[in-house]
Amino acid sequence: NVKMGQYSYKGCFQLCETNLHVWATHLRGEWLILGTTSKDLDAFAIYKQRWGIETLFKALKTQGFHIEHTALCQAPKIEKLLFLLAFAFVWAYKTGLWLNERKPIRICPNGRREFSFFRYGFLFLQYCLLNDTQYPQLVKTIQLLSED
Protein backbone atom coordinates (compact mmCIF):
# COMPACT_ATOMS: atom_id res chain seq x y z
CA ASN A 1 0.00 0.00 0.00
CA VAL A 2 1.36 3.35 -1.04
CA LYS A 3 0.29 6.36 1.01
CA MET A 4 -0.34 9.77 -0.48
CA GLY A 5 2.96 11.48 -1.28
CA GLN A 6 4.99 8.25 -1.24
CA TYR A 7 6.42 6.62 -4.35
CA SER A 8 6.51 2.94 -5.17
CA TYR A 9 8.78 1.41 -7.79
CA LYS A 10 6.81 -1.23 -9.69
CA GLY A 11 9.59 -2.62 -11.85
CA CYS A 12 11.27 -2.46 -15.21
CA PHE A 13 9.47 -3.67 -18.32
CA GLN A 14 10.53 -4.01 -21.94
CA LEU A 15 8.52 -1.85 -24.31
CA CYS A 16 9.60 -1.67 -27.96
CA GLU A 17 13.17 -2.62 -27.05
CA THR A 18 13.30 0.12 -24.39
CA ASN A 19 13.50 -0.34 -20.63
CA LEU A 20 10.45 1.27 -19.08
CA HIS A 21 10.66 1.91 -15.33
CA VAL A 22 7.24 2.19 -13.73
CA TRP A 23 6.54 4.21 -10.60
CA ALA A 24 3.28 4.81 -8.76
CA THR A 25 2.06 7.34 -6.24
CA HIS A 26 -1.30 8.11 -4.71
CA LEU A 27 -2.71 11.61 -5.28
CA ARG A 28 -6.04 12.83 -3.88
CA GLY A 29 -7.92 9.60 -4.28
CA GLU A 30 -6.31 8.69 -7.61
CA TRP A 31 -3.22 6.85 -8.73
CA LEU A 32 -0.52 8.48 -10.79
CA ILE A 33 1.39 5.87 -12.75
CA LEU A 34 4.57 7.19 -14.33
CA GLY A 35 6.59 5.34 -16.92
CA THR A 36 10.08 6.60 -17.66
CA THR A 37 13.33 5.43 -19.19
CA SER A 38 15.11 6.47 -16.00
CA LYS A 39 14.92 4.69 -12.65
CA ASP A 40 15.55 8.05 -10.97
CA LEU A 41 12.84 9.56 -8.75
CA ASP A 42 13.56 12.95 -10.38
CA ALA A 43 11.12 11.82 -13.05
CA PHE A 44 8.28 12.99 -10.77
CA ALA A 45 9.81 16.47 -10.46
CA ILE A 46 10.16 16.64 -14.23
CA TYR A 47 6.58 15.44 -14.65
CA LYS A 48 5.36 18.14 -12.25
CA GLN A 49 7.08 20.82 -14.38
CA ARG A 50 5.63 19.31 -17.52
CA TRP A 51 2.17 19.29 -15.97
CA GLY A 52 2.43 23.07 -15.48
CA ILE A 53 3.14 23.43 -19.18
CA GLU A 54 0.19 21.17 -20.01
CA THR A 55 -2.02 23.42 -17.89
CA LEU A 56 -0.88 26.43 -19.91
CA PHE A 57 -1.57 24.59 -23.17
CA LYS A 58 -5.04 23.68 -21.95
CA ALA A 59 -5.71 27.35 -21.16
CA LEU A 60 -4.41 28.43 -24.56
CA LYS A 61 -6.62 25.87 -26.27
CA THR A 62 -9.87 24.34 -25.07
CA GLN A 63 -10.28 25.99 -21.63
CA GLY A 64 -9.84 29.60 -22.61
CA PHE A 65 -8.34 31.22 -25.66
CA HIS A 66 -9.04 28.59 -28.36
CA ILE A 67 -5.76 29.29 -30.13
CA GLU A 68 -6.34 26.24 -32.31
CA HIS A 69 -8.98 28.24 -34.22
CA THR A 70 -6.53 30.85 -35.45
CA ALA A 71 -5.58 30.87 -39.11
CA LEU A 72 -2.19 32.46 -38.50
CA CYS A 73 0.68 30.87 -40.39
CA GLN A 74 3.46 33.48 -40.30
CA ALA A 75 5.94 33.14 -37.43
CA PRO A 76 6.07 36.87 -36.51
CA LYS A 77 2.27 37.02 -36.17
CA ILE A 78 2.17 33.80 -34.16
CA GLU A 79 4.91 35.18 -31.86
CA LYS A 80 2.87 38.35 -31.22
CA LEU A 81 -0.25 36.32 -30.55
CA LEU A 82 1.60 34.05 -28.10
CA PHE A 83 3.00 37.10 -26.29
CA LEU A 84 -0.50 38.56 -25.88
CA LEU A 85 -1.93 35.23 -24.79
CA ALA A 86 0.86 34.72 -22.24
CA PHE A 87 0.07 38.17 -20.83
CA ALA A 88 -3.66 37.35 -20.74
CA PHE A 89 -2.92 33.99 -19.09
CA VAL A 90 -0.97 35.67 -16.27
CA TRP A 91 -3.73 38.28 -15.87
CA ALA A 92 -6.42 35.59 -15.61
CA TYR A 93 -4.31 33.39 -13.30
CA LYS A 94 -3.49 36.25 -10.90
CA THR A 95 -7.14 37.29 -10.94
CA GLY A 96 -8.16 33.73 -10.09
CA LEU A 97 -5.74 33.66 -7.14
CA TRP A 98 -7.14 37.00 -5.91
CA LEU A 99 -10.73 35.78 -6.27
CA ASN A 100 -9.89 32.54 -4.46
CA GLU A 101 -8.70 34.57 -1.46
CA ARG A 102 -12.05 36.38 -1.40
CA LYS A 103 -14.29 33.41 -2.24
CA PRO A 104 -12.49 30.05 -2.38
CA ILE A 105 -13.14 27.71 -5.28
CA ARG A 106 -15.34 24.80 -4.24
CA ILE A 107 -13.47 21.57 -3.55
CA CYS A 108 -15.10 18.55 -5.20
CA PRO A 109 -15.51 15.19 -3.45
CA ASN A 110 -12.39 13.90 -5.24
CA GLY A 111 -10.34 16.60 -3.45
CA ARG A 112 -9.75 18.76 -6.53
CA ARG A 113 -10.90 22.29 -7.13
CA GLU A 114 -14.04 22.72 -9.23
CA PHE A 115 -11.92 24.65 -11.73
CA SER A 116 -8.42 26.09 -12.01
CA PHE A 117 -7.25 29.50 -10.83
CA PHE A 118 -6.86 30.41 -14.49
CA ARG A 119 -10.45 29.45 -15.34
CA TYR A 120 -11.79 31.26 -12.26
CA GLY A 121 -10.00 34.45 -13.26
CA PHE A 122 -10.76 34.02 -16.96
CA LEU A 123 -14.51 33.76 -16.37
CA PHE A 124 -14.43 36.76 -14.02
CA LEU A 125 -12.47 38.90 -16.49
CA GLN A 126 -14.88 37.90 -19.23
CA TYR A 127 -17.80 38.96 -17.03
CA CYS A 128 -16.16 42.29 -16.16
CA LEU A 129 -15.33 43.09 -19.77
CA LEU A 130 -18.91 42.39 -20.87
CA ASN A 131 -20.55 44.40 -18.07
CA ASP A 132 -19.86 48.14 -17.84
CA THR A 133 -20.93 48.16 -14.19
CA GLN A 134 -17.90 46.03 -13.31
CA TYR A 135 -15.33 48.68 -14.28
CA PRO A 136 -13.98 49.12 -10.69
CA GLN A 137 -13.42 45.35 -10.41
CA LEU A 138 -11.66 45.34 -13.79
CA VAL A 139 -9.34 48.13 -12.62
CA LYS A 140 -8.49 46.08 -9.51
CA THR A 141 -7.56 43.09 -11.65
CA ILE A 142 -5.27 45.29 -13.74
CA GLN A 143 -3.56 46.46 -10.54
CA LEU A 144 -2.91 42.80 -9.65
CA LEU A 145 -0.50 42.63 -12.60
CA SER A 146 1.96 44.94 -10.85
CA GLU A 147 1.97 42.90 -7.62
CA ASP A 148 4.44 40.09 -6.88
Side-chain angles (χ1 to χ4, degrees), residues 27-93:
L27 301 172
R28 294 189 216 151
E30 295 181 351
W31 284 99
L32 171 63
I33 309 297
L34 183 63
T36 178
T37 56
S38 170
K39 193 176 176 182
D40 195 351
L41 264 175
D42 287 343
F44 279 97
I46 293 166
Y47 181 80
K48 186 176 180 179
Q49 290 174 344
R50 183 177 181 272
W51 189 251
I53 293 168
E54 292 296 329
T55 302
L56 172 63
F57 287 157
K58 187 175 181 181
L60 291 175
K61 294 169 75 178
T62 58
Q63 291 294 313
F65 300 119
H66 299 282
I67 194 173
E68 69 274 16
H69 296 298
T70 183
L72 296 178
C73 297
Q74 298 171 341
K77 291 182 178 182
I78 294 171
E79 286 174 8
K80 288 175 186 172
L81 177 62
L82 286 175
F83 171 79
L84 290 172
L85 292 178
F87 177 83
F89 176 83
V90 170
W91 187 18
Y93 186 83

Coordinates of all heavy atoms in Angstrom, one line a residue, residues 27-93:
L27 N -2.4 10.2 -5.3 CA -2.7 11.6 -5.3 C -4.2 11.8 -5.1 O -5.0 11.4 -6.0 CB -2.2 12.3 -6.6 CG -0.8 12.2 -6.9 CD1 -0.5 12.8 -8.3 CD2 0.0 13.0 -5.9
R28 N -4.6 12.4 -4.1 CA -6.0 12.8 -3.9 C -7.0 11.8 -4.4 O -7.9 12.1 -5.2 CB -6.3 14.2 -4.6 CG -5.5 15.3 -4.0 CD -6.0 16.6 -4.7 NE -4.9 17.5 -4.9 CZ -4.8 18.4 -5.8 NH1 -5.8 18.5 -6.7 NH2 -3.8 19.2 -5.9
G29 N -6.9 10.6 -3.9 CA -7.9 9.6 -4.3 C -7.7 8.9 -5.6 O -8.5 8.1 -6.1
E30 N -6.6 9.3 -6.3 CA -6.3 8.7 -7.6 C -4.9 8.2 -7.6 O -4.0 8.7 -6.9 CB -6.5 9.7 -8.7 CG -7.9 10.2 -8.9 CD -8.0 11.2 -10.1 OE1 -7.0 11.6 -10.6 OE2 -9.1 11.5 -10.4
W31 N -4.6 7.3 -8.5 CA -3.2 6.8 -8.7 C -2.6 7.6 -9.9 O -3.2 7.9 -10.9 CB -3.2 5.4 -9.1 CG -3.5 4.5 -7.9 CD1 -4.6 3.9 -7.5 CD2 -2.5 4.1 -6.9 NE1 -4.5 3.2 -6.4 CE2 -3.2 3.3 -6.0 CE3 -1.2 4.4 -6.7 CZ2 -2.5 2.7 -4.9 CZ3 -0.5 3.8 -5.7 CH2 -1.2 3.0 -4.7
L32 N -1.3 7.9 -9.7 CA -0.5 8.5 -10.8 C 0.5 7.4 -11.1 O 1.3 7.1 -10.3 CB 0.2 9.8 -10.4 CG 1.2 10.3 -11.4 CD1 0.5 10.7 -12.7 CD2 1.9 11.5 -10.8
I33 N 0.4 6.9 -12.3 CA 1.4 5.9 -12.8 C 2.3 6.6 -13.7 O 1.8 7.2 -14.7 CB 0.7 4.7 -13.5 CG1 -0.4 4.1 -12.6 CG2 1.7 3.6 -13.9 CD1 0.0 3.5 -11.3
L34 N 3.6 6.5 -13.5 CA 4.6 7.2 -14.3 C 5.5 6.2 -14.9 O 6.2 5.4 -14.2 CB 5.3 8.2 -13.5 CG 6.3 9.1 -14.2 CD1 5.7 10.0 -15.3 CD2 7.0 10.0 -13.2
G35 N 5.6 6.2 -16.2 CA 6.6 5.3 -16.9 C 7.7 6.2 -17.5 O 7.5 7.2 -18.1
T36 N 8.9 5.8 -17.2 CA 10.1 6.6 -17.7 C 11.3 5.7 -18.0 O 11.3 4.5 -17.6 CB 10.5 7.6 -16.5 OG1 11.6 8.3 -17.0 CG2 10.8 6.9 -15.2
T37 N 12.1 6.2 -18.8 CA 13.3 5.4 -19.2 C 14.4 5.5 -18.1 O 15.4 4.8 -18.2 CB 13.9 5.9 -20.5 OG1 14.2 7.3 -20.4 CG2 13.0 5.7 -21.7
S38 N 14.2 6.3 -17.1 CA 15.1 6.5 -16.0 C 14.5 5.8 -14.7 O 13.3 6.0 -14.5 CB 15.4 8.0 -15.8 OG 16.1 8.1 -14.6
K39 N 15.4 5.2 -13.9 CA 14.9 4.7 -12.7 C 15.0 5.8 -11.6 O 14.6 5.5 -10.4 CB 15.8 3.5 -12.3 CG 15.2 2.7 -11.1 CD 16.0 1.4 -10.8 CE 15.5 0.7 -9.6 NZ 16.2 -0.4 -9.3
D40 N 15.4 7.0 -11.9 CA 15.5 8.1 -11.0 C 14.2 8.7 -10.5 O 13.3 8.9 -11.4 CB 16.4 9.1 -11.6 CG 17.0 10.1 -10.7 OD1 16.5 10.1 -9.5 OD2 17.8 10.9 -11.1
L41 N 14.1 8.9 -9.3 CA 12.8 9.6 -8.7 C 12.7 11.0 -9.3 O 11.6 11.5 -9.1 CB 12.9 9.6 -7.2 CG 12.1 8.4 -6.5 CD1 12.3 8.5 -5.0 CD2 10.7 8.4 -6.9
D42 N 13.7 11.6 -9.8 CA 13.6 13.0 -10.4 C 12.5 13.0 -11.5 O 12.1 14.1 -11.9 CB 14.9 13.5 -10.9 CG 15.9 13.8 -9.8 OD1 15.4 14.0 -8.7 OD2 17.1 13.9 -10.1
A43 N 12.1 11.9 -12.0 CA 11.1 11.8 -13.1 C 9.8 12.5 -12.6 O 9.1 13.1 -13.4 CB 10.9 10.4 -13.5
F44 N 9.5 12.4 -11.3 CA 8.3 13.0 -10.8 C 8.4 14.5 -10.8 O 7.5 15.2 -11.1 CB 7.9 12.5 -9.4 CG 7.2 11.1 -9.4 CD1 8.0 10.0 -9.2 CD2 5.9 11.1 -9.6 CE1 7.3 8.7 -9.3 CE2 5.2 9.8 -9.6 CZ 6.0 8.7 -9.5
A45 N 9.6 15.0 -10.4 CA 9.8 16.5 -10.5 C 9.7 17.0 -11.9 O 9.1 18.1 -12.1 CB 11.2 16.8 -9.9
I46 N 10.3 16.3 -12.8 CA 10.2 16.6 -14.2 C 8.7 16.6 -14.7 O 8.2 17.5 -15.4 CB 11.1 15.7 -15.1 CG1 12.5 16.0 -14.7 CG2 10.8 15.9 -16.6 CD1 13.5 14.9 -15.3
Y47 N 8.0 15.6 -14.3 CA 6.6 15.4 -14.7 C 5.8 16.6 -14.1 O 4.9 17.1 -14.8 CB 6.0 14.1 -14.1 CG 4.6 13.9 -14.5 CD1 4.2 13.5 -15.8 CD2 3.6 14.2 -13.6 CE1 2.9 13.3 -16.1 CE2 2.2 14.0 -13.9 CZ 1.9 13.6 -15.2 OH 0.6 13.4 -15.5
K48 N 6.1 17.0 -12.9 CA 5.4 18.1 -12.3 C 5.6 19.4 -13.1 O 4.6 20.2 -13.3 CB 5.8 18.3 -10.8 CG 5.0 19.4 -10.1 CD 5.5 19.4 -8.6 CE 4.7 20.5 -7.9 NZ 5.1 20.6 -6.5
Q49 N 6.8 19.7 -13.5 CA 7.1 20.8 -14.4 C 6.3 20.7 -15.7 O 5.7 21.7 -16.2 CB 8.6 20.9 -14.7 CG 9.4 21.3 -13.5 CD 10.9 21.3 -13.8 OE1 11.3 20.7 -14.7 NE2 11.6 22.0 -12.9
R50 N 6.3 19.5 -16.3 CA 5.6 19.3 -17.5 C 4.1 19.5 -17.3 O 3.5 20.1 -18.2 CB 5.9 17.9 -18.0 CG 5.3 17.6 -19.4 CD 5.6 16.2 -19.9 NE 5.0 16.0 -21.2 CZ 3.8 15.5 -21.3 NH1 3.0 15.2 -20.3 NH2 3.3 15.3 -22.5
W51 N 3.6 19.1 -16.2 CA 2.2 19.3 -16.0 C 1.8 20.8 -16.0 O 0.7 21.2 -16.4 CB 1.8 18.6 -14.7 CG 0.3 18.6 -14.5 CD1 -0.5 19.3 -13.7 CD2 -0.7 17.9 -15.3 NE1 -1.8 19.1 -13.9 CE2 -1.9 18.2 -14.9 CE3 -0.5 17.0 -16.4 CZ2 -3.1 17.6 -15.5 CZ3 -1.6 16.4 -17.0 CH2 -2.9 16.8 -16.5
G52 N 2.7 21.6 -15.4 CA 2.4 23.1 -15.5 C 2.3 23.6 -16.9 O 1.5 24.4 -17.2
I53 N 3.2 23.1 -17.8 CA 3.1 23.4 -19.2 C 1.8 22.9 -19.8 O 1.2 23.6 -20.6 CB 4.4 22.9 -19.9 CG1 5.6 23.6 -19.4 CG2 4.3 23.1 -21.4 CD1 6.9 23.0 -19.8
E54 N 1.4 21.7 -19.5 CA 0.2 21.2 -20.0 C -1.0 22.0 -19.6 O -1.9 22.2 -20.4 CB 0.0 19.7 -19.5 CG 1.0 18.7 -20.1 CD 0.9 18.6 -21.6 OE1 -0.2 18.8 -22.2 OE2 1.9 18.4 -22.3
T55 N -1.0 22.5 -18.4 CA -2.0 23.4 -17.9 C -2.1 24.7 -18.7 O -3.2 25.2 -19.1 CB -1.8 23.8 -16.4 OG1 -1.8 22.5 -15.7 CG2 -2.9 24.6 -15.8
L56 N -0.9 25.2 -19.0 CA -0.9 26.4 -19.9 C -1.5 26.1 -21.3 O -2.3 26.9 -21.8 CB 0.6 27.0 -20.0 CG 0.8 28.1 -21.1 CD1 0.0 29.3 -20.7 CD2 2.2 28.4 -21.2
F57 N -1.1 25.0 -21.9 CA -1.6 24.6 -23.2 C -3.1 24.4 -23.1 O -3.8 24.8 -24.1 CB -0.9 23.3 -23.7 CG 0.5 23.5 -24.1 CD1 1.4 22.4 -24.1 CD2 1.0 24.7 -24.5 CE1 2.7 22.5 -24.5 CE2 2.3 24.8 -24.9 CZ 3.2 23.8 -24.9
K58 N -3.6 23.9 -22.1 CA -5.0 23.7 -22.0 C -5.7 25.0 -21.9 O -6.8 25.2 -22.5 CB -5.4 22.9 -20.7 CG -6.8 22.5 -20.5 CD -7.0 21.6 -19.3 CE -8.5 21.2 -19.2 NZ -8.7 20.4 -18.0
A59 N -5.1 26.0 -21.2 CA -5.7 27.3 -21.2 C -5.6 28.0 -22.5 O -6.6 28.7 -22.9 CB -5.0 28.2 -20.1
L60 N -4.5 27.8 -23.2 CA -4.4 28.4 -24.6 C -5.4 27.8 -25.6 O -5.8 28.5 -26.5 CB -3.0 28.3 -25.1 CG -1.9 29.1 -24.4 CD1 -0.5 28.7 -24.9 CD2 -2.1 30.6 -24.5
K61 N -5.8 26.6 -25.3 CA -6.6 25.9 -26.3 C -8.1 25.8 -25.8 O -8.8 26.7 -25.8 CB -6.0 24.5 -26.6 CG -4.7 24.6 -27.3 CD -3.9 23.3 -27.4 CE -4.5 22.4 -28.4 NZ -3.8 21.1 -28.5
T62 N -8.5 24.6 -25.3 CA -9.9 24.3 -25.1 C -10.5 25.0 -23.9 O -11.7 25.3 -23.8 CB -10.1 22.8 -24.9 OG1 -9.3 22.4 -23.8 CG2 -9.7 22.1 -26.1
Q63 N -9.7 25.4 -22.8 CA -10.3 26.0 -21.6 C -10.2 27.5 -21.6 O -10.4 28.1 -20.5 CB -9.6 25.4 -20.4 CG -9.9 24.0 -20.2 CD -11.4 23.7 -19.8 OE1 -11.9 24.4 -19.0 NE2 -12.0 22.8 -20.5
G64 N -9.9 28.1 -22.7 CA -9.8 29.6 -22.6 C -9.8 30.3 -23.9 O -10.8 30.7 -24.5
F65 N -8.6 30.3 -24.5 CA -8.3 31.2 -25.7 C -8.6 30.6 -27.0 O -8.6 31.3 -28.0 CB -6.9 31.8 -25.6 CG -6.6 32.5 -24.3 CD1 -5.7 32.1 -23.4 CD2 -7.4 33.7 -24.0 CE1 -5.4 32.8 -22.3 CE2 -7.1 34.4 -22.9 CZ -6.2 34.0 -22.0
H66 N -8.7 29.3 -27.1 CA -9.0 28.6 -28.4 C -8.1 29.0 -29.5 O -8.5 29.2 -30.6 CB -10.5 28.8 -28.8 CG -11.5 28.3 -27.8 ND1 -11.8 27.0 -27.7 CD2 -12.2 29.0 -26.8 CE1 -12.7 26.9 -26.7 NE2 -12.9 28.0 -26.1
I67 N -6.8 28.9 -29.2 CA -5.8 29.3 -30.1 C -5.8 28.4 -31.3 O -5.3 28.8 -32.4 CB -4.4 29.3 -29.5 CG1 -3.3 30.0 -30.4 CG2 -3.9 27.9 -29.1 CD1 -2.0 30.2 -29.7
E68 N -6.3 27.2 -31.2 CA -6.3 26.2 -32.3 C -7.2 26.7 -33.4 O -7.2 26.2 -34.6 CB -6.7 24.8 -31.8 CG -8.2 24.7 -31.4 CD -8.5 25.1 -30.0 OE1 -7.6 25.7 -29.3 OE2 -9.5 24.7 -29.5
H69 N -8.1 27.7 -33.2 CA -9.0 28.2 -34.2 C -8.4 29.4 -35.0 O -9.0 29.9 -36.0 CB -10.3 28.7 -33.6 CG -11.1 27.6 -33.0 ND1 -11.6 26.5 -33.7 CD2 -11.5 27.4 -31.7 CE1 -12.2 25.7 -32.9 NE2 -12.2 26.2 -31.7
T70 N -7.2 29.8 -34.7 CA -6.5 30.8 -35.5 C -6.1 30.3 -36.8 O -5.7 29.2 -37.0 CB -5.4 31.5 -34.7 OG1 -4.9 32.6 -35.4 CG2 -4.2 30.5 -34.5
A71 N -6.0 31.2 -37.8 CA -5.6 30.9 -39.1 C -4.2 31.4 -39.4 O -3.7 31.5 -40.5 CB -6.6 31.4 -40.1
L72 N -3.5 31.9 -38.3 CA -2.2 32.5 -38.5 C -1.2 31.4 -38.9 O -1.2 30.3 -38.4 CB -1.7 33.1 -37.2 CG -2.5 34.3 -36.7 CD1 -2.0 34.8 -35.4 CD2 -2.6 35.4 -37.7
C73 N -0.3 31.8 -39.9 CA 0.7 30.9 -40.4 C 2.1 31.5 -40.4 O 3.1 30.8 -40.4 CB 0.4 30.5 -41.8 SG -1.2 29.5 -41.9
Q74 N 2.2 32.8 -40.3 CA 3.5 33.5 -40.3 C 4.0 33.6 -38.9 O 3.3 34.0 -38.0 CB 3.3 34.9 -40.9 CG 2.8 34.8 -42.4 CD 2.5 36.2 -42.9 OE1 2.3 37.1 -42.2 NE2 2.4 36.2 -44.2
A75 N 5.3 33.2 -38.7 CA 5.9 33.1 -37.4 C 5.9 34.5 -36.7 O 5.5 34.4 -35.5 CB 7.4 32.7 -37.6
P76 N 6.1 35.6 -37.3 CA 6.1 36.9 -36.5 C 4.7 37.1 -35.9 O 4.5 37.6 -34.8 CB 6.4 38.0 -37.5 CG 7.2 37.2 -38.6 CD 6.6 35.9 -38.6
K77 N 3.6 36.8 -36.7 CA 2.3 37.0 -36.2 C 1.9 36.0 -35.1 O 1.3 36.4 -34.1 CB 1.3 36.9 -37.3 CG 1.4 38.0 -38.3 CD 0.3 37.9 -39.4 CE 0.5 39.1 -40.3 NZ -0.5 39.1 -41.4
I78 N 2.4 34.8 -35.2 CA 2.2 33.8 -34.2 C 2.9 34.2 -32.9 O 2.4 34.1 -31.8 CB 2.6 32.4 -34.7 CG1 1.7 32.0 -35.8 CG2 2.6 31.4 -33.5 CD1 2.1 30.7 -36.5
E79 N 4.1 34.7 -33.0 CA 4.9 35.2 -31.9 C 4.2 36.3 -31.1 O 4.1 36.3 -29.9 CB 6.3 35.7 -32.3 CG 7.2 34.6 -32.7 CD 8.5 35.1 -33.3 OE1 8.8 36.3 -33.2 OE2 9.3 34.3 -33.8
K80 N 3.6 37.2 -31.9 CA 2.9 38.3 -31.2 C 1.6 37.8 -30.5 O 1.3 38.2 -29.4 CB 2.5 39.4 -32.3 CG 3.7 40.2 -32.8 CD 3.3 41.1 -33.9 CE 4.5 41.8 -34.5 NZ 4.2 42.6 -35.7
L81 N 0.9 36.9 -31.2 CA -0.2 36.3 -30.6 C 0.1 35.6 -29.3 O -0.5 35.7 -28.2 CB -1.0 35.4 -31.5 CG -2.2 34.6 -31.0 CD1 -3.3 35.6 -30.6 CD2 -2.7 33.6 -32.0
L82 N 1.2 34.8 -29.3 CA 1.6 34.0 -28.1 C 2.0 35.0 -27.0 O 1.7 34.7 -25.8 CB 2.7 33.1 -28.4 CG 2.3 31.8 -29.2 CD1 3.5 31.0 -29.6 CD2 1.3 31.0 -28.4
F83 N 2.6 36.1 -27.3 CA 3.0 37.1 -26.3 C 1.7 37.6 -25.6 O 1.6 37.7 -24.4 CB 3.8 38.2 -26.9 CG 4.0 39.4 -25.9 CD1 5.0 39.3 -25.0 CD2 3.2 40.5 -26.0 CE1 5.2 40.4 -24.1 CE2 3.4 41.6 -25.1 CZ 4.4 41.5 -24.1
L84 N 0.8 38.0 -26.4 CA -0.5 38.6 -25.9 C -1.2 37.5 -25.1 O -1.8 37.8 -24.0 CB -1.4 39.1 -27.0 CG -0.9 40.3 -27.7 CD1 -1.8 40.6 -28.9 CD2 -0.9 41.5 -26.7
L85 N -1.2 36.3 -25.5 CA -1.9 35.2 -24.8 C -1.2 34.9 -23.5 O -1.9 34.6 -22.5 CB -2.1 34.0 -25.6 CG -3.1 34.1 -26.8 CD1 -3.1 32.8 -27.6 CD2 -4.4 34.5 -26.4
A86 N 0.1 35.0 -23.5 CA 0.9 34.7 -22.2 C 0.5 35.8 -21.2 O 0.3 35.5 -20.0 CB 2.4 34.7 -22.5
F87 N 0.5 37.0 -21.7 CA 0.1 38.2 -20.8 C -1.3 37.9 -20.3 O -1.6 38.1 -19.1 CB 0.1 39.5 -21.6 CG -0.3 40.7 -20.8 CD1 0.6 41.3 -19.9 CD2 -1.6 41.2 -20.9 CE1 0.2 42.4 -19.2 CE2 -2.0 42.3 -20.2 CZ -1.1 42.9 -19.3
A88 N -2.3 37.6 -21.2 CA -3.7 37.4 -20.7 C -3.8 36.2 -19.8 O -4.5 36.2 -18.8 CB -4.5 37.1 -22.0
F89 N -2.9 35.1 -20.0 CA -2.9 34.0 -19.1 C -2.5 34.4 -17.7 O -3.2 34.1 -16.7 CB -2.0 32.9 -19.6 CG -1.9 31.7 -18.7 CD1 -2.8 30.7 -18.7 CD2 -0.8 31.7 -17.8 CE1 -2.7 29.7 -17.8 CE2 -0.7 30.6 -16.9 CZ -1.6 29.6 -16.9
V90 N -1.4 35.2 -17.6 CA -1.0 35.7 -16.3 C -2.0 36.5 -15.6 O -2.3 36.4 -14.4 CB 0.4 36.4 -16.4 CG1 0.7 37.1 -15.1 CG2 1.5 35.5 -16.8
W91 N -2.7 37.4 -16.4 CA -3.7 38.3 -15.9 C -4.9 37.4 -15.3 O -5.3 37.6 -14.2 CB -4.2 39.2 -17.0 CG -5.2 40.3 -16.6 CD1 -5.5 40.7 -15.3 CD2 -6.0 41.0 -17.4 NE1 -6.4 41.7 -15.4 CE2 -6.8 41.9 -16.7 CE3 -6.2 41.0 -18.8 CZ2 -7.7 42.8 -17.2 CZ3 -7.2 41.9 -19.4 CH2 -7.9 42.8 -18.6
A92 N -5.3 36.4 -16.1 CA -6.4 35.6 -15.6 C -6.0 34.8 -14.4 O -6.8 34.6 -13.4 CB -6.9 34.7 -16.8
Y93 N -4.8 34.2 -14.4 CA -4.3 33.4 -13.3 C -4.2 34.2 -12.0 O -4.7 33.8 -11.0 CB -3.0 32.8 -13.6 CG -2.5 31.8 -12.6 CD1 -2.9 30.5 -12.6 CD2 -1.6 32.2 -11.6 CE1 -2.4 29.6 -11.7 CE2 -1.1 31.3 -10.7 CZ -1.5 30.0 -10.7 OH -1.1 29.1 -9.8

